[in-house]
Short mmCIF file of all heavy atoms in Angstrom, two decimals:
data_model
loop_
_atom_site.label_atom_id
_atom_site.label_comp_id
_atom_site.label_asym_id
_atom_site.label_seq_id
_atom_site.Cartn_x
_atom_site.Cartn_y
_atom_site.Cartn_z
N SER Z 61 -14.92 9.80 3.10
CA SER Z 61 -14.67 8.46 3.62
C SER Z 61 -13.19 8.13 3.61
O SER Z 61 -12.64 7.60 4.56
CB SER Z 61 -15.48 7.43 2.85
OG SER Z 61 -15.21 6.14 3.29
N LEU Z 62 -12.53 8.46 2.50
CA LEU Z 62 -11.08 8.18 2.39
C LEU Z 62 -10.30 8.92 3.47
O LEU Z 62 -9.44 8.34 4.11
CB LEU Z 62 -10.59 8.63 1.01
CG LEU Z 62 -9.06 8.70 0.90
CD1 LEU Z 62 -8.48 7.31 0.74
CD2 LEU Z 62 -8.62 9.59 -0.22
N LYS Z 63 -10.62 10.19 3.68
CA LYS Z 63 -9.91 10.98 4.69
C LYS Z 63 -10.08 10.36 6.06
O LYS Z 63 -9.12 10.25 6.83
CB LYS Z 63 -10.41 12.42 4.70
CG LYS Z 63 -10.00 13.22 3.50
CD LYS Z 63 -10.58 14.61 3.58
CE LYS Z 63 -10.24 15.48 2.42
NZ LYS Z 63 -10.80 16.83 2.53
N GLN Z 64 -11.31 9.95 6.39
CA GLN Z 64 -11.55 9.33 7.71
C GLN Z 64 -10.78 8.03 7.86
O GLN Z 64 -10.17 7.78 8.86
CB GLN Z 64 -13.07 9.13 7.92
CG GLN Z 64 -13.82 10.42 8.05
CD GLN Z 64 -15.32 10.21 8.00
OE1 GLN Z 64 -15.83 9.22 7.46
NE2 GLN Z 64 -16.03 11.17 8.57
N GLU Z 65 -10.88 7.18 6.82
CA GLU Z 65 -10.18 5.88 6.85
C GLU Z 65 -8.68 6.04 6.95
O GLU Z 65 -8.01 5.38 7.70
CB GLU Z 65 -10.55 5.05 5.63
CG GLU Z 65 -11.97 4.57 5.63
CD GLU Z 65 -12.44 4.02 4.29
OE1 GLU Z 65 -11.56 3.84 3.38
OE2 GLU Z 65 -13.62 3.75 4.17
N PHE Z 66 -8.13 6.99 6.17
CA PHE Z 66 -6.70 7.23 6.19
C PHE Z 66 -6.24 7.61 7.57
O PHE Z 66 -5.27 7.08 8.11
CB PHE Z 66 -6.31 8.34 5.17
CG PHE Z 66 -4.84 8.60 5.15
CD1 PHE Z 66 -4.02 7.88 4.31
CD2 PHE Z 66 -4.26 9.58 5.96
CE1 PHE Z 66 -2.65 8.10 4.27
CE2 PHE Z 66 -2.90 9.80 5.95
CZ PHE Z 66 -2.10 9.05 5.10
N ARG Z 67 -6.98 8.53 8.19
CA ARG Z 67 -6.57 8.99 9.54
C ARG Z 67 -6.68 7.86 10.57
O ARG Z 67 -5.82 7.73 11.43
CB ARG Z 67 -7.43 10.19 9.96
CG ARG Z 67 -7.05 11.43 9.17
CD ARG Z 67 -7.86 12.64 9.56
NE ARG Z 67 -7.48 13.75 8.74
CZ ARG Z 67 -8.31 14.41 7.94
NH1 ARG Z 67 -9.57 14.04 7.85
NH2 ARG Z 67 -7.88 15.43 7.22
N MET Z 68 -7.70 7.01 10.46
CA MET Z 68 -7.86 5.90 11.40
C MET Z 68 -6.71 4.91 11.23
O MET Z 68 -6.10 4.48 12.19
CB MET Z 68 -9.18 5.19 11.20
CG MET Z 68 -10.38 5.96 11.70
SD MET Z 68 -11.90 5.01 11.61
CE MET Z 68 -12.13 4.82 9.85
N VAL Z 69 -6.41 4.52 9.99
CA VAL Z 69 -5.41 3.52 9.74
C VAL Z 69 -4.00 4.09 10.02
O VAL Z 69 -3.16 3.38 10.57
CB VAL Z 69 -5.50 2.98 8.30
CG1 VAL Z 69 -4.35 2.04 7.97
CG2 VAL Z 69 -6.82 2.25 8.10
N ALA Z 70 -3.76 5.35 9.67
CA ALA Z 70 -2.45 5.95 9.89
C ALA Z 70 -2.09 5.96 11.38
O ALA Z 70 -0.91 5.93 11.72
CB ALA Z 70 -2.41 7.35 9.30
N GLY Z 71 -3.09 5.98 12.23
CA GLY Z 71 -2.84 5.99 13.66
C GLY Z 71 -2.50 4.64 14.25
O GLY Z 71 -2.08 4.53 15.40
N VAL Z 72 -2.64 3.58 13.48
CA VAL Z 72 -2.34 2.21 13.96
C VAL Z 72 -0.91 1.89 13.53
O VAL Z 72 -0.60 1.82 12.35
CB VAL Z 72 -3.31 1.17 13.36
CG1 VAL Z 72 -3.00 -0.22 13.90
CG2 VAL Z 72 -4.76 1.56 13.67
N GLN Z 73 -0.06 1.70 14.51
CA GLN Z 73 1.34 1.38 14.23
C GLN Z 73 1.61 -0.08 14.57
O GLN Z 73 1.39 -0.53 15.69
CB GLN Z 73 2.25 2.27 15.08
CG GLN Z 73 2.07 3.75 14.84
CD GLN Z 73 2.40 4.18 13.44
OE1 GLN Z 73 3.45 3.79 12.90
NE2 GLN Z 73 1.51 4.94 12.82
N HIS Z 74 2.09 -0.80 13.59
CA HIS Z 74 2.50 -2.21 13.79
C HIS Z 74 3.46 -2.60 12.68
O HIS Z 74 3.30 -2.19 11.53
CB HIS Z 74 1.24 -3.10 13.74
CG HIS Z 74 1.54 -4.53 14.13
ND1 HIS Z 74 1.99 -5.46 13.20
CD2 HIS Z 74 1.44 -5.17 15.30
CE1 HIS Z 74 2.15 -6.61 13.83
NE2 HIS Z 74 1.85 -6.45 15.10
N GLU Z 75 4.47 -3.40 13.01
CA GLU Z 75 5.48 -3.82 12.04
C GLU Z 75 4.86 -4.51 10.82
O GLU Z 75 5.33 -4.41 9.71
CB GLU Z 75 6.49 -4.76 12.71
CG GLU Z 75 7.55 -5.26 11.76
CD GLU Z 75 8.48 -6.29 12.36
OE1 GLU Z 75 7.99 -7.21 13.08
OE2 GLU Z 75 9.68 -6.20 12.09
N GLY Z 76 3.73 -5.22 11.03
CA GLY Z 76 3.10 -5.98 9.96
C GLY Z 76 2.11 -5.19 9.12
O GLY Z 76 1.48 -5.74 8.24
N LEU Z 77 1.98 -3.88 9.39
CA LEU Z 77 1.09 -3.02 8.60
C LEU Z 77 1.93 -2.02 7.83
O LEU Z 77 2.84 -1.40 8.41
CB LEU Z 77 0.11 -2.25 9.51
CG LEU Z 77 -0.83 -3.13 10.35
CD1 LEU Z 77 -1.62 -2.22 11.31
CD2 LEU Z 77 -1.77 -3.91 9.48
N VAL Z 78 1.65 -1.85 6.55
CA VAL Z 78 2.38 -0.87 5.79
C VAL Z 78 2.13 0.50 6.45
O VAL Z 78 1.02 0.80 6.85
CB VAL Z 78 2.00 -0.87 4.30
CG1 VAL Z 78 0.60 -0.42 4.06
CG2 VAL Z 78 2.97 -0.06 3.48
N ARG Z 79 3.17 1.30 6.60
CA ARG Z 79 3.06 2.62 7.25
C ARG Z 79 2.53 3.63 6.24
O ARG Z 79 3.09 3.81 5.16
CB ARG Z 79 4.44 3.03 7.78
CG ARG Z 79 4.41 4.33 8.58
CD ARG Z 79 5.82 4.75 9.02
NE ARG Z 79 6.66 5.08 7.89
CZ ARG Z 79 7.64 4.34 7.37
NH1 ARG Z 79 7.94 3.19 7.95
NH2 ARG Z 79 8.35 4.72 6.34
N LEU Z 80 1.46 4.29 6.60
CA LEU Z 80 0.90 5.37 5.79
C LEU Z 80 1.57 6.68 6.21
O LEU Z 80 1.70 6.94 7.40
CB LEU Z 80 -0.62 5.46 5.96
CG LEU Z 80 -1.40 4.20 5.62
CD1 LEU Z 80 -2.90 4.45 5.78
CD2 LEU Z 80 -1.10 3.72 4.23
#
Side-chain angles (χ1 to χ4, degrees):
S61 177
L62 167 77
K63 288 178 180 180
Q64 292 170 338
E65 291 167 8
F66 181 88
R67 289 181 181 120
M68 285 187 294
V69 174
V72 181
Q73 301 297 312
H74 188 274
E75 179 185 43
L77 300 173
V78 68
R79 186 183 64 255
L80 302 182

